[in-house]
Amino acid sequence: MQVPLWLALLVVGYLGVKLIRPPAWLIAVLLLGGFLLADSVLAPAINSLIK
């Protein structure tokens, strides 16, 4: 069974918010920070570290 990545991330994110209940500002900071880092000069360096 193959599940699309966006669906898996959506389910994991939903369960994480429901079970752990982080504050809304922390969710906003993580989403905005990830979005900004993905578009920055550091993106290739982060990508090479992850691989």
Side-chain angles (χ1 to χ4, degrees):
M1 181 172 130
Q2 292 182 350
V3 178
L5 179 60
W6 63 268
L7 181 60
L9 290 175
L10 187 70
V11 170
V12 169
Y14 177 77
L15 289 175
V17 168
K18 280 298 211 183
L19 297 175
I20 299 173
R21 300 211 185 265
W25 64 266
L26 181 60
I27 296 170
V29 165
L30 288 175
L31 287 173
L32 185 61
F35 178 75
L36 292 175
L37 274 178
D39 236 4
S40 73
V41 180
L42 298 175
I46 295 170
N47 192 22
S48 67
L49 286 175
I50 291 174
K51 288 184 179 180

